[in-house]
Amino acid sequence: MRFVKGFLLLLTSTLCLAQSPVDRITAPIEFGLTVPLKGNLHGGARPEFDQGRVDGSMEMQAVSLVFKPSPAQQSALDQLLAQQQDRMSPNYHKWLTPVQFGDRFGMSKSDLGKVISWLQSQGLTVTRIAPNRNEVFFSGKAAQVESAFHTELHNYLVNGEMHFANATEPSLPAALSGVALAIRNLHNFEPKPRARVREVPASEASPHFTSSISGSHFLAPDDFATIYDVQGLYGAGIDGTGQKIAVIGQSAISLTDVHNFRSAAGLPAKDPALLLVPGSGSSTICPGDEGESDLDVEWSGGVAKNASIILVYVGVPSGQTCSNRTNGAFDALDYAINPMPAVPQIATIISISYGLCENTNSATGITQAQALSLQALAQQANMQGQTITSASGDNGAADCEDPQTTSALRGLAVDIPAAIPEVTGVGGNEFTGDSATCPSTGCPSNTAPADPPYWSGSGVGTDTISSALEYIPEMAWNDTLDTTDNPQGFLSASGGGASIYFMKPAWQAGTGMRAVPDIALNASPFHDAYLFCSEDGPNGTKVPSCTSGFRDPSQNLSVVGGTSAGAPTFAAILALVDQSLIASGFESAPGLGPINSILYKLAVSNPASFNDVTSGDNIVACTKASPNCPASGGQFGFKAGPGYDQVTGLGSVNANTLAAAWAGTPNFTLQTNAATFSVVAGNPVPVTVTVHPLNGFNSALTFTCSDPASESTCVPPSGATTQSSVTFNITTTAPTARRGSPFSRRGGVFYALLVPGLLGILITAAQRKPSARGMRLLGLIMVLGFSTLWLGACGGGSSSSNKNPGTTKGTYTVKLSATSGGTNPISNSTQVTLIVQ
């Protein structure tokens, strides 16, 4: 209660009121007419799994009511997202904080107050309001939740595990039906890790450090850096310093494993931060999830060697266990985007290797409402400068299948969050250029030969930690039919396909639904797997961790694969790209925001940034008469090919080349403080021009401008300057009197008559020998005549025809330009409209 009051006080004192959301809850929230909240019934809540209703006294924690932006807010949100990625926009990379996001795109203070009051009236305890003001967290007993949302909570036994979920769609009072999007954590079917962990015996000649015992190859961080062109960034001093990467987990870890990994890999000692989501329960090491956390922490920090790695994870609530808790990785993702208001941004790059498939009928699926609520979070993250990478799944084109399945039963599917357009989905490749078995001469027991041109050998009794020599050709990862390494035939391939929830974004060519993945990196747990240190072995069994390099006391190795490895390693590459942009002056602060549109543009403009993977597939076996399976049974899936494909995306990356292409050519744009200026003739017009540097541009500029009219002047700033804004002065001309011509049309007639008359008087006076008085009169006449003549010539008189009208009324275009110096000058210009009244 104290927190809720404090939050309401914070809302009341918010300074950013200019764009405050309008009230949308216009009627009282009360019992009476209710409306079902569609899309919130989990696929595991099926009658054949039903074990009866839960105990009404069961504690429900971390449940949340999620709201959607209004149509006007969504339109403004989409517009700002586009501007933040447009280098020509003044909003380019002007990231928001979660509180600022809430001030613009969240619920109004009044509406939140109504929601809080209604939840409390149902006996529920409001525990937190997200800073985005679109999510209210609450807790209570199961019976209270059932009553508030007009549903029943039942137990379901699925794949040997007991879960609970709402048995019917929840309902809300009619006053909330137009603003609510989803109710999260009414069930405890949590997302699944995508890591494939193996323990390799010391003597096994398993494809592919170079092992001094077997001659086999495995990936250590420096091998990854060599293969994917990260070494070039290291050589330029780019190692992740100043960058923060949040990895999402469902388990605590032992720091000893991280210490051992970094020592074995030759990395500097650097502990990750362990951030337990507040209110999520006690910090607990959970078998099956600990290995995922170890992989993500170790390898994100292994590639971005000096980045700050933060494990954001959920605990286990009191009275619950790792397998039946009410929260999971998506709650940790939520907190990485929406921390407590007083907590600074946790990280600019987020990696998540947990997911659920797009399917409303699967126990491993996610409903559309839940997927849309995650998309709203991803959009908020992007607007805050955060980038999310996500594993695309390990079951090939059949993402919904249970672990250790040999034939698909639930049809084609892709993985969430990877399928969300604002998330970068990472698929899987495997190497084809090295030997998959021992050389024909056999595997020496005391020395391993080189495997040119891709791998070096090892010395006698010595493991070579960094043995990769260059990029190794790749194909799509699919070990499903590899009877040597995967004799059971379990589905084991790069996740990919087409979404059923999200339309194809503009940056993906063509029409239809969003295609997955976006890029792909090494993923095979068999052929050149990733080395790591973890006490969490295959299927959650406990194993000895690394003690001698990467080996355990029995000289065995722990290795891992799956698209889980791609998400944290690509997150690390992005951290290096971001650091390189900052170091080169191309960016001012960390944060890339949404990157997919950039990746797809670079694939066209700078194809060398990617390694196009053109062979292989993610085709898997399917069961006859199951969804999407051919009528005769057989297989389904997709093939890799030139360009983009739904197996490997754009391919793998060359990190150093990608970073250079990302920066682009230094340039600048000019922006005026207004597009149109109105002025009364004679008044000056100051026009301020702001210089927006692009891609690290920092040269001095010389400014020029055109003259908008014959009677005005445009004066640019003098000399070259590096100032971020300058002022041009445009001076218009006021109407003024001018000297009239004695031979003008009207004056000419007068003077034509006056001059002959005066001459006549002079001649007559001369002939008559005038008296003194006459001569005086004649002189006076001459003075008056010539005075009149002079006055006319000087513009005297009141005739309007003798005035300068000044700058003529009308509309003029003023061109304002800037040019850089040097041997290759860059010129850009802008213009304003000048209306003279």
Side-chain angles (χ1 to χ4, degrees):
M1 178 63 70
R2 182 180 301 172
F3 174 82
V4 173
K5 289 180 179 178
F7 182 81
L8 291 177
L9 180 61
L10 174 64
L11 291 178
T12 304
S13 62
T14 299
L15 298 177
C16 190
L17 299 177
Q19 304 181 63
S20 295
V22 299
D23 293 345
R24 289 189 285 152
I25 302 176
T26 57
I29 306 175
E30 56 189 8
F31 282 111
L33 179 63
T34 60
V35 179
L37 190 58
K38 298 289 187 180
N40 287 272
L41 182 61
H42 193 272
R46 291 157 56 180
E48 60 265 37
F49 301 145
D50 199 335
Q51 303 297 303
R53 199 165 179 177
V54 303
D55 187 333
S57 64
M58 182 182 76
E59 290 291 337
M60 299 282 291
Q61 300 181 23
V63 189
S64 68
L65 187 54
V66 182
F67 301 96
K68 57 187 175 183
S70 68
Q73 285 177 317
Q74 187 63 54
S75 176
L77 190 155
D78 293 338
Q79 183 179 21
L80 183 55
L81 274 172
Q83 292 171 348
Q84 287 178 322
Q85 291 302 104
D86 181 2
R87 288 179 169 176
M88 304 294 286
S89 170
N91 287 322
Y92 175 69
H93 280 200
K94 297 295 178 63
W95 310 123
L96 303 182
T97 66
V99 171
Q100 289 171 335
F101 180 92
D103 288 337
R104 298 180 64 172
F105 306 111
M107 294 278 282
S108 71
K109 297 177 291 184
S110 175
D111 284 350
L112 277 179
K114 295 171 186 176
V115 171
I116 291 169
S117 295
W118 175 73
L119 289 170
Q120 291 173 336
S121 74
Q122 304 304 302
L124 301 170
T125 301
V126 175
T127 56
R128 186 165 76 93
I129 296 90
N132 66 4
R133 285 161 52 175
N134 277 328
E135 190 169 14
V136 178
F137 294 82
F138 57 91
S139 63
K141 297 186 182 302
Q144 294 169 319
V145 173
E146 289 177 325
S147 174
F149 299 105
H150 302 275
T151 187
E152 291 185 358
L153 299 174
H154 285 217
N155 290 308
Y156 296 91
L157 183 62
V158 182
N159 295 327
E161 293 182 348
M162 189 70 74
H163 297 272
F164 71 83
N166 47 300
T168 59
E169 293 277 21
S171 294
L172 291 173
L176 295 176
S177 63
V179 296
L181 175 60
I183 304 174
R184 292 186 53 220
N185 292 340
L186 278 182
H187 63 80
N188 63 350
F189 287 93
E190 295 306 330
K192 302 299 182 182
R194 300 310 186 193
R196 297 292 177 95
V197 179
R198 294 176 57 230
E199 186 177 22
V200 181
S203 59
E204 183 181 331
S206 173
H208 312 291
F209 127 125
T210 297
S211 168
S212 65
I213 298 176
S214 67
S216 299
H217 305 306
F218 303 92
L219 288 188
D222 273 347
D223 294 316
F224 181 96
T226 296
I227 295 167
Y228 291 122
D229 193 25
V230 181
Q231 295 287 5
L233 290 170
Y234 293 162
I238 304 301
D239 59 4
T241 300
Q243 293 288 312
K244 294 181 179 180
I245 303 172
V247 297
I248 304 304
Q250 290 184 170
S251 173
I253 61 174
S254 168
L255 287 179
T256 300
D257 289 333
V258 181
H259 297 163
N260 292 340
F261 174 84
R262 295 187 71 88
S263 175
L267 298 167
K270 191 175 180 70
D271 283 352
L274 307 182
L275 178 56
L276 176 66
V277 174
S280 66
S282 301
S283 177
T284 307
I285 289 180
C286 293
D289 289 307
E290 182 189 9
E292 182 66 72
S293 294
D294 286 331
L295 163 63
D296 296 355
V297 166
E298 291 172 3
W299 271 90
S300 58
V303 176
K305 302 178 180 182
N306 276 311
S308 296
I309 310 300
I310 303 98
L311 173 63
V312 184
Y313 69 105
V314 290
V316 176
S318 176
Q320 300 180 16
T321 66
C322 290
S323 61
N324 72 351
R325 57 188 169 191
T326 54
N327 52 27
F330 290 164
D331 296 281
L333 175 64
D334 190 328
Y335 191 76
I337 300 167
N338 273 305
M340 294 289 192
V343 175
Q345 186 182 71
I346 293 171
T348 54
I349 298 173
I350 301 172
S351 169
I352 179 168
S353 294
Y354 284 82
L356 293 170
C357 70
E358 289 185 341
N359 191 317
T360 58
N361 297 315
S362 170
T364 59
I366 187 171
T367 66
Q368 186 171 17
Q370 302 291 332
L372 290 175
S373 69
L374 286 177
Q375 183 190 31
L377 273 177
Q379 289 181 335
Q380 178 188 343
N382 287 172
M383 197 165 284
Q384 295 170 182
Q386 294 173 301
T387 306
I388 304 174
T389 64
S390 178
S392 71
D394 298 346
N395 288 332
D399 192 68
C400 287
E401 303 309 320
D402 297 325
Q404 298 184 342
T405 296
T406 57
S407 182
L409 295 168
R410 299 183 176 96
L412 296 169
V414 294
D415 204 76
I416 294 288
I420 296 172
E422 292 78 14
V423 173
T424 302
V426 185
N429 299 329
E430 61 181 296
F431 300 121
T432 62
D434 58 341
S435 175
T437 60
C438 290
S440 59
T441 55
C443 292
S445 60
N446 60 349
T447 182
D451 184 11
Y454 305 113
W455 301 91
S456 65
S458 68
V460 177
T462 303
D463 293 325
T464 302
I465 301 301
S466 301
S467 53
L469 300 174
E470 61 181 48
Y471 171 71
I472 303 174
E474 298 167 280
M475 65 181 291
W477 166 47
N478 193 342
D479 291 327
T480 303
L481 300 180
D482 185 343
T483 56
T484 299
D485 293 321
N486 183 23
Q488 299 91 344
F490 296 145
L491 305 188
S492 183
S494 174
S499 171
I500 61 173
Y501 293 154
F502 301 107
M503 297 297 296
K504 184 171 286 187
W507 35 263
Q508 277 191 329
T511 59
M513 307 304 288
R514 153 77 157 137
V516 184
D518 298 301
I519 60 102
L521 297 172
N522 179 51
S524 174
F526 302 109
H527 191 184
D528 309 325
Y530 293 80
L531 291 160
F532 82 135
C533 296
S534 179
E535 61 186 9
D536 196 16
N539 301 315
T541 58
K542 199 171 185 67
V543 298
S545 185
C546 306
T547 56
S548 177
F550 283 108
R551 297 184 181 277
D552 68 14
S554 299
Q555 296 295 292
N556 300 326
L557 300 172
S558 287
V559 299
V560 66
T563 55
S564 275
T569 51
F570 188 59
I573 288 174
L574 292 177
L576 299 178
V577 169
D578 196 19
Q579 184 192 357
S580 72
L581 294 175
I582 296 171
S584 301
F586 292 90
E587 301 289 353
S588 58
L592 297 172
I595 64 166
N596 287 347
S597 62
I598 298 174
L599 293 176
Y600 283 79
K601 288 178 182 176
L602 292 178
V604 175
S605 62
N606 293 275
S609 301
F610 299 87
N611 303 303
D612 191 10
V613 179
T614 60
S615 63
D617 57 58
N618 66 357
I619 296 173
V620 295
C622 59
T623 302
K624 183 178 179 180
S626 65
N628 305 121
C629 196
S632 59
Q635 301 174 327
F636 60 41
F638 305 93
K639 291 185 178 181
Y644 179 85
D645 58 70
Q646 292 170 297
V647 190
T648 67
L650 298 170
S652 63
V653 299
N654 295 310
N656 192 34
T657 307
L658 179 67
W662 203 300
T665 304
N667 207 327
F668 67 93
T669 61
L670 303 177
Q671 181 187 23
T672 58
N673 57 321
T676 303
F677 296 85
S678 296
V679 64
V680 176
N683 290 342
V685 182
V687 178
T688 300
V689 175
T690 300
V691 180
H692 293 289
L694 303 176
N695 308 332
F697 180 86
N698 60 2
S699 299
L701 295 173
T702 301
F703 296 88
T704 59
C705 59
S706 65
D707 187 2
S710 60
E711 297 286 348
S712 66
T713 58
C714 178
V715 181
S718 61
T721 180
T722 57
Q723 290 180 299
S724 60
S725 64
V726 295
T727 300
F728 290 77
N729 290 303
I730 303 173
T731 304
T732 55
T733 305
T736 58
R738 72 169 79 177
R739 294 181 179 180
S741 170
F743 302 104
S744 63
R745 291 181 182 179
R746 295 179 61 184
V749 175
F750 172 77
Y751 297 119
L753 295 174
L754 176 62
V755 172
L758 291 173
L759 291 175
I761 293 173
L762 291 173
I763 293 171
T764 301
Q767 291 175 346
R768 294 180 179 179
K769 296 180 179 180
S771 63
R773 184 177 180 182
M775 289 300 293
R776 286 196 296 269
L777 177 59
L778 178 61
L780 177 60
I781 292 172
M782 293 177 65
V783 170
L784 290 174
F786 283 103
S787 297
T788 303
L789 180 63
W790 181 82
L791 288 173
C794 292
S798 61
S799 173
S800 61
S801 64
N802 295 330
K803 289 184 177 180
N804 179 355
T807 302
T808 306
K809 292 183 179 180
T811 301
Y812 303 91
T813 299
V814 185
K815 185 178 180 181
L816 313 171
S817 304
T819 303
S820 68
T823 56
N824 296 305
I826 302 172
S827 294
N828 285 299
S829 63
T830 187
Q831 62 185 34
V832 296
T833 299
L834 183 65
I835 301 174
V836 179
Q837 300 175 340

